[in-house]
């Protein structure tokens, strides 16, 4: 009989796990209640549960309660954001001290890029993809040595005019943002050879596209573009032109002047016809 009750006691103690120091001191008093009726045993079971609540001051019990029964409060999220910003500032300082030419700040949940970025004039590569940026500080224009600027998977709706100071920039990645138009400053970055604008909300390509005569790759797929300007034909160095998944009904005949194109993707548009220059002047792979 006492053996069975001892097992019952062990089960109840497991329910109250993890025990605090005070509960261990009370353990000698427990045998006195072992001979009481089942109703009192249930009361003890309830007390054991109450004891568990009293023991919540112990770190393991608190962690368990927070993780499994209640949501973490907003202040905790705020702390994480501050930690992220502090980490970014630390990375900028490290990059400056080590005179690094490459800086990767991707996937940091960055909302605002610190203006101190202007101090990193030695940079040639800057990766900021998969953050929460809605804009860039004008100080980015101070990075005159940049060759690669990766800004994909953010929430950008515009770019600062200072970007036209980036005279050495060759690759600009703006995929998966919220651009409703190609920012005017992009047309002024005449050093570009690769421009990614995939998956935005762009409705038109302006005539100023002819300024980007050094482009070899232009990807504007998965937008809402209804027509291309005749000036697209002035991009004589284009090798790849990807305009798939838009709303194009016609192509300008001048596209035939882009004689270096080897890959032209026109899939998933609303094309009613094709200019005669396609297939006669251009030795490329055509996807319709």
């Amino acid at each position: 009989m006492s053996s069975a009750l001892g097992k019952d006691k062990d089960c109840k103690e497991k329910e109250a796990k993890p025990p605090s120091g005070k509960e261990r001191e009370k353990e000698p008093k427990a045998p006195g209640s072992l001979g009481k009726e089942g109703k009192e045993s249930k009361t003890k079971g309830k007390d054991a549960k109450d004891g568990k609540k009293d023991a919540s001051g112990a770190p393991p019990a608190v962690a368990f309660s927070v993780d499994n029964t209640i949501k973490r409060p907003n202040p905790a999220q705020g702390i994480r954001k501050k930690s992220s910003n502090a980490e970014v500032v630390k990375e900028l300082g490290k990059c400056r001290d080590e005179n690094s030419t490459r800086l990767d700040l991707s996937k940091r949940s960055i909302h605002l890029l610190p203006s101190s970025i202007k101090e990193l004039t030695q940079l040639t590569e800057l990766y900021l993809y998969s953050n929460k940026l809605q804009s860039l500080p004008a100080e980015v224009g101070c990075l005159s040595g940049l060759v690669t600027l990766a800004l994909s998977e953010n929430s950008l709706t515009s770019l600062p005019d200072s970007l036209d100071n980036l005279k050495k920039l060759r690759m600009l990645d703006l995929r998966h943002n919220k651009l409703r138009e190609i920012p005017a400053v992009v047309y002024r970055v005449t050093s570009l050879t690769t421009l990614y604008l995939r998956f935005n909300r762009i409705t038109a390509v302006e005539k100023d596209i002819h300024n980007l005569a050094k482009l070899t790759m232009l990807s504007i797929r998965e937008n809402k573009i209804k027509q291309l300007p005749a000036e697209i034909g002035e991009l004589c160095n284009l090798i790849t032109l990807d305009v798939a998944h838009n709303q194009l009904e016609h192509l300008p005949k001048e596209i035939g002047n882009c004689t270096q194109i080897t890959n032209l993707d026109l899939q998933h548009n609303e094309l009613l016809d094709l200019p005669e220059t396609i297939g006669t002047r251009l030795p490329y792979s055509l996807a319709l």
Side-chain angles (χ1 to χ4, degrees), residues 236 238 241 251-264 266 275-286:
C236 297
L238 269 185
L241 176 59
L251 294 177
K253 63 181 181 180
E254 289 81 4
I255 199 170
N257 297 329
C258 303
T259 56
Q260 301 299 314
I261 289 182
T262 58
N263 184 12
L264 176 59
L266 301 170
E276 294 181 359
T277 52
I278 288 186
T280 57
R281 298 186 197 176
L282 306 181
Y284 51 68
S285 170
L286 176 62

Side-chain angles (χ1 to χ4, degrees), residues 16-283:
K17 190 178 181 180
S20 66
K22 291 183 178 180
E23 287 177 323
R24 292 193 186 98
E25 292 175 1
K26 293 178 180 179
E27 283 179 0
K29 297 178 182 180
S33 61
L34 293 179
K36 294 185 179 182
E37 295 179 357
K39 186 174 180 181
E40 286 189 30
S41 297
K42 290 181 181 179
T43 303
K44 282 293 181 180
K46 183 179 179 182
D47 291 339
K49 291 181 181 178
D50 291 339
K52 178 180 177 180
K53 292 179 182 177
D54 292 337
S56 62
V62 171
F64 180 83
S65 176
V66 170
D67 290 341
N68 293 278
T69 63
I70 62 173
K71 294 182 179 179
R72 291 185 182 275
N74 290 332
Q77 296 177 358
I79 291 172
R80 284 198 293 271
K81 289 179 183 178
K82 289 180 181 179
S83 176
S84 176
N85 290 338
E87 186 177 329
V88 170
V89 172
K90 182 179 179 181
E91 288 288 336
L92 295 182
K94 180 180 178 183
C95 181
R96 181 189 62 245
D97 295 341
E98 296 180 355
N99 202 35
S100 300
T101 59
R102 183 182 188 277
L103 178 60
D104 188 349
L105 292 174
S106 57
K107 300 181 180 179
R108 302 294 184 92
S109 297
I110 301 172
H111 288 76
L112 293 172
L113 191 64
S115 59
S116 57
I117 190 76
K118 66 182 179 181
E119 300 173 4
L120 307 181
T121 55
Q122 80 281 3
L123 284 181
T124 60
E125 300 176 45
L126 178 57
Y127 299 92
L128 292 165
Y129 62 85
S130 295
N131 280 294
K132 299 179 180 180
L133 295 169
Q134 296 182 11
S135 62
L136 292 180
E139 287 80 2
V140 171
C142 297
L143 309 181
S144 56
L146 271 187
V147 175
T148 298
L149 180 56
L151 299 166
S152 60
E153 297 177 49
N154 279 283
S155 298
L156 295 171
T157 57
S158 63
L159 294 176
D161 288 338
S162 60
L163 252 61
D164 58 8
N165 294 327
L166 307 182
K167 305 299 184 183
K168 297 181 181 180
L169 192 65
R170 298 187 64 187
M171 196 283 284
L172 179 58
D173 188 352
L174 291 165
R175 290 175 293 179
H176 291 263
N177 276 283
K178 296 181 180 180
L179 299 170
R180 295 188 178 277
E181 60 183 4
I182 299 175
V185 67
V186 171
Y187 296 118
R188 302 198 299 271
V189 186
T190 56
S191 56
L192 286 175
T193 60
T194 301
L195 178 58
Y196 295 109
L197 288 162
R198 173 179 180 172
F199 212 96
N200 277 279
R201 303 170 184 179
I202 299 168
T203 58
V205 177
E206 302 299 330
K207 295 179 179 181
D208 290 338
I209 191 71
H210 72 87
N211 293 333
L212 306 182
K214 294 182 181 180
L215 282 180
T216 59
M217 149 65 85
L218 176 58
S219 175
I220 48 178
R221 66 182 291 139
E222 292 172 278
N223 280 286
K224 299 179 180 180
I225 299 169
K226 295 184 178 181
Q227 64 179 14
L228 295 176
E231 287 75 10
I232 198 88
E234 298 182 36
L235 306 183
C236 297
N237 290 303
L238 269 185
I239 295 174
T240 297
L241 176 59
D242 189 349
V243 293
H245 293 270
N246 277 285
Q247 300 172 13
L248 295 171
E249 294 184 356
H250 305 280
L251 294 177
K253 63 181 181 180
E254 289 81 4
I255 199 170
N257 297 329
C258 303
T259 56
Q260 301 299 314
I261 289 182
T262 58
N263 184 12
L264 176 59
D265 195 339
L266 301 170
Q267 296 181 86
H268 301 283
N269 275 284
E270 300 172 11
L271 291 168
L272 303 175
D273 52 36
L274 293 174
E276 294 181 359
T277 52
I278 288 186
T280 57
R281 298 186 197 176
L282 306 181

